[in-house]
mmCIF file of all heavy atoms in Angstrom:
data_model
loop_
_atom_site.group_PDB
_atom_site.id
_atom_site.type_symbol
_atom_site.label_atom_id
_atom_site.label_comp_id
_atom_site.label_asym_id
_atom_site.label_seq_id
_atom_site.Cartn_x
_atom_site.Cartn_y
_atom_site.Cartn_z
ATOM 1 N N ILE Y 1 0.871 -1.209 -0.004
ATOM 2 C CA ILE Y 1 0.014 0.004 0.036
ATOM 3 C C ILE Y 1 0.885 1.238 0.020
ATOM 4 O O ILE Y 1 0.587 2.195 -0.728
ATOM 5 C CB ILE Y 1 -0.989 -0.008 1.183
ATOM 6 C CG1 ILE Y 1 -2.054 -1.028 0.995
ATOM 7 C CG2 ILE Y 1 -1.524 1.347 1.472
ATOM 8 C CD1 ILE Y 1 -2.897 -1.351 2.207
ATOM 9 N N PHE Y 2 1.950 1.186 0.725
ATOM 10 C CA PHE Y 2 2.806 2.392 0.878
ATOM 11 C C PHE Y 2 3.416 2.645 -0.523
ATOM 12 O O PHE Y 2 3.477 3.816 -1.013
ATOM 13 C CB PHE Y 2 3.899 2.140 1.900
ATOM 14 C CG PHE Y 2 4.782 3.360 2.133
ATOM 15 C CD1 PHE Y 2 4.393 4.408 2.908
ATOM 16 C CD2 PHE Y 2 6.035 3.438 1.475
ATOM 17 C CE1 PHE Y 2 5.243 5.525 3.042
ATOM 18 C CE2 PHE Y 2 6.888 4.507 1.679
ATOM 19 C CZ PHE Y 2 6.465 5.573 2.444
ATOM 20 N N LEU Y 3 3.849 1.648 -1.214
ATOM 21 C CA LEU Y 3 4.519 1.813 -2.457
ATOM 22 C C LEU Y 3 3.485 2.207 -3.529
ATOM 23 O O LEU Y 3 3.743 3.059 -4.419
ATOM 24 C CB LEU Y 3 5.242 0.518 -2.906
ATOM 25 C CG LEU Y 3 6.454 0.178 -2.087
ATOM 26 C CD1 LEU Y 3 7.038 -1.158 -2.529
ATOM 27 C CD2 LEU Y 3 7.501 1.248 -2.210
ATOM 28 N N GLU Y 4 2.319 1.606 -3.514
ATOM 29 C CA GLU Y 4 1.309 1.897 -4.528
ATOM 30 C C GLU Y 4 0.696 3.265 -4.397
ATOM 31 O O GLU Y 4 0.164 3.839 -5.353
ATOM 32 C CB GLU Y 4 0.157 0.868 -4.456
ATOM 33 C CG GLU Y 4 0.620 -0.563 -4.882
ATOM 34 C CD GLU Y 4 -0.371 -1.590 -4.498
ATOM 35 O OE1 GLU Y 4 -1.498 -1.215 -4.016
ATOM 36 O OE2 GLU Y 4 -0.120 -2.766 -4.730
ATOM 37 N N GLY Y 5 0.763 3.834 -3.210
ATOM 38 C CA GLY Y 5 0.135 5.143 -2.883
ATOM 39 C C GLY Y 5 0.670 6.277 -3.713
ATOM 40 O O GLY Y 5 -0.016 7.244 -3.980
ATOM 41 N N GLY Y 6 1.924 6.209 -4.161
ATOM 42 C CA GLY Y 6 2.524 7.207 -4.994
ATOM 43 C C GLY Y 6 3.087 8.447 -4.265
ATOM 44 O O GLY Y 6 3.689 9.293 -4.908
ATOM 45 N N ALA Y 7 2.941 8.479 -2.955
ATOM 46 C CA ALA Y 7 3.453 9.661 -2.245
ATOM 47 C C ALA Y 7 4.960 9.788 -2.344
ATOM 48 O O ALA Y 7 5.503 10.867 -2.408
ATOM 49 C CB ALA Y 7 2.989 9.623 -0.782
ATOM 50 N N TYR Y 8 5.621 8.623 -2.283
ATOM 51 C CA TYR Y 8 7.080 8.632 -2.285
ATOM 52 C C TYR Y 8 7.631 9.287 -3.591
ATOM 53 O O TYR Y 8 8.527 10.105 -3.558
ATOM 54 C CB TYR Y 8 7.587 7.229 -2.150
ATOM 55 C CG TYR Y 8 9.039 7.123 -1.662
ATOM 56 C CD1 TYR Y 8 9.330 7.370 -0.351
ATOM 57 C CD2 TYR Y 8 10.044 6.815 -2.537
ATOM 58 C CE1 TYR Y 8 10.636 7.285 0.129
ATOM 59 C CE2 TYR Y 8 11.399 6.789 -2.094
ATOM 60 C CZ TYR Y 8 11.639 7.026 -0.769
ATOM 61 O OH TYR Y 8 12.944 7.024 -0.357
ATOM 62 N N GLU Y 9 7.074 8.916 -4.725
ATOM 63 C CA GLU Y 9 7.527 9.495 -6.021
ATOM 64 C C GLU Y 9 7.132 10.984 -6.067
ATOM 65 O O GLU Y 9 7.926 11.769 -6.599
ATOM 66 C CB GLU Y 9 6.821 8.756 -7.149
ATOM 67 C CG GLU Y 9 7.304 7.326 -7.302
ATOM 68 C CD GLU Y 9 6.564 6.331 -6.413
ATOM 69 O OE1 GLU Y 9 5.656 6.748 -5.661
ATOM 70 O OE2 GLU Y 9 6.886 5.154 -6.484
ATOM 71 N N LEU Y 10 5.923 11.307 -5.637
ATOM 72 C CA LEU Y 10 5.510 12.749 -5.670
ATOM 73 C C LEU Y 10 6.388 13.615 -4.777
ATOM 74 O O LEU Y 10 6.549 14.825 -5.080
ATOM 75 C CB LEU Y 10 4.042 12.834 -5.288
ATOM 76 C CG LEU Y 10 3.066 12.347 -6.289
ATOM 77 C CD1 LEU Y 10 1.648 12.306 -5.728
ATOM 78 C CD2 LEU Y 10 3.090 13.174 -7.572
ATOM 79 N N ARG Y 11 6.975 13.011 -3.721
ATOM 80 C CA ARG Y 11 7.826 13.735 -2.874
ATOM 81 C C ARG Y 11 9.030 14.410 -3.629
ATOM 82 O O ARG Y 11 9.442 15.520 -3.352
ATOM 83 C CB ARG Y 11 8.375 12.882 -1.759
ATOM 84 C CG ARG Y 11 9.281 13.617 -0.771
ATOM 85 C CD ARG Y 11 9.749 12.650 0.310
ATOM 86 N NE ARG Y 11 11.089 12.997 0.699
ATOM 87 C CZ ARG Y 11 12.206 12.530 0.231
ATOM 88 N NH1 ARG Y 11 12.186 11.547 -0.698
ATOM 89 N NH2 ARG Y 11 13.381 12.890 0.617
ATOM 90 N N TYR Y 12 9.553 13.665 -4.621
ATOM 91 C CA TYR Y 12 10.609 14.176 -5.418
ATOM 92 C C TYR Y 12 10.183 15.366 -6.291
ATOM 93 O O TYR Y 12 10.922 16.350 -6.419
ATOM 94 C CB TYR Y 12 11.293 13.114 -6.268
ATOM 95 C CG TYR Y 12 12.052 12.096 -5.437
ATOM 96 C CD1 TYR Y 12 11.582 10.835 -5.258
ATOM 97 C CD2 TYR Y 12 13.199 12.477 -4.786
ATOM 98 C CE1 TYR Y 12 12.238 9.904 -4.440
ATOM 99 C CE2 TYR Y 12 13.903 11.564 -3.980
ATOM 100 C CZ TYR Y 12 13.406 10.295 -3.813
ATOM 101 O OH TYR Y 12 14.080 9.426 -3.054
ATOM 102 N N GLN Y 13 9.010 15.330 -6.777
ATOM 103 C CA GLN Y 13 8.442 16.446 -7.523
ATOM 104 C C GLN Y 13 8.267 17.629 -6.615
ATOM 105 O O GLN Y 13 8.513 18.797 -7.018
ATOM 106 C CB GLN Y 13 7.116 16.080 -8.200
ATOM 107 C CG GLN Y 13 7.314 15.097 -9.362
ATOM 108 C CD GLN Y 13 5.930 14.782 -10.013
ATOM 109 O OE1 GLN Y 13 5.115 15.675 -10.134
ATOM 110 N NE2 GLN Y 13 5.761 13.533 -10.402
ATOM 111 N N MET Y 14 7.822 17.376 -5.363
ATOM 112 C CA MET Y 14 7.617 18.420 -4.437
ATOM 113 C C MET Y 14 8.994 19.097 -4.181
ATOM 114 O O MET Y 14 9.071 20.357 -4.099
ATOM 115 C CB MET Y 14 7.082 17.893 -3.068
ATOM 116 C CG MET Y 14 5.666 17.319 -3.212
ATOM 117 S SD MET Y 14 4.479 18.633 -3.376
ATOM 118 C CE MET Y 14 4.582 19.386 -1.758
ATOM 119 N N ALA Y 15 10.004 18.328 -4.006
ATOM 120 C CA ALA Y 15 11.378 18.860 -3.741
ATOM 121 C C ALA Y 15 11.850 19.811 -4.858
ATOM 122 O O ALA Y 15 12.552 20.747 -4.605
ATOM 123 C CB ALA Y 15 12.369 17.752 -3.502
ATOM 124 N N LEU Y 16 11.402 19.558 -6.088
ATOM 125 C CA LEU Y 16 11.820 20.366 -7.176
ATOM 126 C C LEU Y 16 10.924 21.608 -7.419
ATOM 127 O O LEU Y 16 11.382 22.617 -7.923
ATOM 128 C CB LEU Y 16 11.839 19.557 -8.483
ATOM 129 C CG LEU Y 16 12.813 18.448 -8.549
ATOM 130 C CD1 LEU Y 16 12.598 17.557 -9.787
ATOM 131 C CD2 LEU Y 16 14.231 18.980 -8.558
ATOM 132 N N THR Y 17 9.635 21.527 -7.009
ATOM 133 C CA THR Y 17 8.687 22.487 -7.401
ATOM 134 C C THR Y 17 8.255 23.363 -6.268
ATOM 135 O O THR Y 17 8.002 24.582 -6.434
ATOM 136 C CB THR Y 17 7.466 21.814 -7.993
ATOM 137 O OG1 THR Y 17 7.845 20.948 -9.045
ATOM 138 C CG2 THR Y 17 6.416 22.775 -8.485
ATOM 139 N N ALA Y 18 8.127 22.835 -5.103
ATOM 140 C CA ALA Y 18 7.546 23.565 -3.957
ATOM 141 C C ALA Y 18 8.559 24.522 -3.307
ATOM 142 O O ALA Y 18 9.737 24.346 -3.487
ATOM 143 C CB ALA Y 18 7.010 22.565 -2.920
ATOM 144 N N THR Y 19 8.013 25.400 -2.485
ATOM 145 C CA THR Y 19 8.870 26.306 -1.717
ATOM 146 C C THR Y 19 9.496 25.532 -0.573
ATOM 147 O O THR Y 19 8.955 24.489 -0.204
ATOM 148 C CB THR Y 19 8.057 27.508 -1.152
ATOM 149 O OG1 THR Y 19 6.972 26.962 -0.357
ATOM 150 C CG2 THR Y 19 7.460 28.311 -2.290
ATOM 151 N N ALA Y 20 10.556 26.104 0.015
ATOM 152 C CA ALA Y 20 11.235 25.354 1.093
ATOM 153 C C ALA Y 20 10.377 24.954 2.282
ATOM 154 O O ALA Y 20 10.421 23.840 2.763
ATOM 155 C CB ALA Y 20 12.449 26.157 1.538
ATOM 156 N N PRO Y 21 9.518 25.834 2.770
ATOM 157 C CA PRO Y 21 8.639 25.426 3.919
ATOM 158 C C PRO Y 21 7.716 24.293 3.525
ATOM 159 O O PRO Y 21 7.488 23.372 4.371
ATOM 160 C CB PRO Y 21 7.849 26.726 4.259
ATOM 161 C CG PRO Y 21 8.585 27.834 3.705
ATOM 162 C CD PRO Y 21 9.280 27.299 2.483
ATOM 163 N N VAL Y 22 7.180 24.305 2.347
ATOM 164 C CA VAL Y 22 6.288 23.235 1.936
ATOM 165 C C VAL Y 22 7.069 21.925 1.723
ATOM 166 O O VAL Y 22 6.559 20.856 2.154
ATOM 167 C CB VAL Y 22 5.539 23.553 0.610
ATOM 168 C CG1 VAL Y 22 4.713 22.426 0.068
ATOM 169 C CG2 VAL Y 22 4.631 24.818 0.801
ATOM 170 N N VAL Y 23 8.229 21.996 1.202
ATOM 171 C CA VAL Y 23 9.087 20.739 1.092
ATOM 172 C C VAL Y 23 9.383 20.185 2.478
ATOM 173 O O VAL Y 23 9.281 18.986 2.670
ATOM 174 C CB VAL Y 23 10.378 21.048 0.321
ATOM 175 C CG1 VAL Y 23 11.350 19.898 0.402
ATOM 176 C CG2 VAL Y 23 10.101 21.447 -1.118
ATOM 177 N N GLU Y 24 9.727 21.053 3.404
ATOM 178 C CA GLU Y 24 9.991 20.576 4.809
ATOM 179 C C GLU Y 24 8.729 19.856 5.394
ATOM 180 O O GLU Y 24 8.856 18.748 5.918
ATOM 181 C CB GLU Y 24 10.335 21.809 5.661
ATOM 182 C CG GLU Y 24 10.669 21.434 7.134
ATOM 183 C CD GLU Y 24 10.950 22.680 7.876
ATOM 184 O OE1 GLU Y 24 11.550 23.607 7.350
ATOM 185 O OE2 GLU Y 24 10.639 22.664 9.108
#
């Protein structure tokens, strides 16, 4: 479930796109 949820992959997009407080 953890792997299929997709949050882990989206976290890398967050690191590239979001502001520093949101990434944190």
Side-chain angles (χ1 to χ4, degrees):
I1 287 168
F2 184 81
L3 291 175
E4 292 166 4
Y8 200 76
E9 292 84 0
L10 287 170
R11 180 181 147 264
Y12 290 109
Q13 290 182 38
M14 293 289 290
L16 294 173
T17 306
T19 59
V22 173
V23 171
E24 181 182 326

